[in-house]
Amino acid sequence: TLVQYITAQSIQILETVVIAQPNASMAFTDLGGVAILTNRLAKELGNPPTLLTPSVGGELKDENQTNVAVVSPPPPPTYGQRVLLFSLVTCLTVVFHQEANPTNNGASANTESGSGTGSDQLRQPALTQAIITLLKHVPSYGGHLASLVATLLGDVLNHDPHVVRYVHEAGIAQAFFDMVQGKIS
């Protein structure tokens, strides 16, 4: 829809500002921009951003700690939705990459002030489920989006190797390996 295109364009402009202006990157992080993008990503994928949480072993639990199965592939996204998803994942990747490279800007200083790092954000249910959904349904969302997700994961894992355990426990690693092996829907 027109709103999706306008939103995608706005996110692309934001991405450019975050890259070019260290102060903008710090402000974006301080104002919770990553959480806003992550929740929108979850909404576009049809994942409730706060209801599902990963548990040990990668199963998803609802608010009552009952296992939730994600079985059927999602309907193919519209072109406008693809553009928006691409913009959201690209912007998140850029923000996490900027944070991992303190020579690029001052965004890494925010990790000490408690505003959250890429690994902290990856541990949030909305981003975890969005990444799993994108990796498990590559035919629906496209290879470009899957490669962006792999880049995002690479930046976060390289910046904070301690998140590797969570990536395995939450099922992100299994979703990635299934994608590589062609076990996707």
Side-chain angles (χ1 to χ4, degrees):
T1 67
L2 182 59
V3 173
Q4 288 174 320
Y5 290 116
I6 292 169
T7 304
Q9 191 72 42
S10 300
I11 292 169
Q12 289 172 354
I13 292 167
L14 176 65
E15 172 192 330
T16 303
V17 172
V18 166
I19 290 170
Q21 299 294 325
N23 292 337
S25 179
M26 289 171 44
F28 177 78
T29 303
D30 288 344
L31 295 172
V34 172
I36 292 168
L37 293 178
T38 299
N39 287 334
R40 180 61 189 261
L41 179 63
K43 177 183 172 192
E44 287 300 316
L45 293 170
N47 298 331
T50 57
L51 296 179
L52 301 180
T53 56
S55 64
V56 176
E59 302 91 12
L60 290 173
K61 305 268 186 180
D62 64 13
E63 64 274 7
N64 299 320
Q65 294 301 310
T66 306
N67 282 346
V68 176
V70 179
V71 180
S72 62
T78 64
Y79 185 74
Q81 188 179 22
R82 278 182 198 258
V83 170
L84 181 55
L85 291 170
F86 187 84
S87 295
L88 289 163
V89 175
T90 300
C91 192
L92 287 169
T93 301
V94 165
V95 169
F96 294 156
H97 182 75
Q98 293 289 96
E99 140 190 314
N101 294 301
T103 56
N104 292 343
N105 63 37
S108 293
N110 291 341
T111 60
E112 295 172 7
S113 68
S115 55
T117 63
S119 58
D120 292 336
Q121 294 300 323
L122 185 61
R123 288 180 176 97
Q124 298 301 313
L127 187 55
T128 296
Q129 184 56 29
I131 287 172
I132 290 171
T133 298
L134 288 169
L135 292 174
K136 286 189 174 222
H137 304 292
V138 173
S140 295
Y141 295 110
H144 292 303
L145 214 44
S147 68
L148 271 176
V149 168
T151 301
L152 181 147
L153 287 172
D155 282 340
V156 172
L157 290 167
N158 282 324
H159 182 63
D160 181 8
H162 295 101
V163 78
V164 170
R165 180 179 177 156
Y166 174 80
V167 166
H168 282 277
E169 288 175 351
I172 296 171
Q174 189 60 52
F176 178 81
F177 295 139
D178 288 348
M179 177 197 68
V180 169
Q181 294 172 359
K183 299 177 183 177
I184 51 179
S185 55

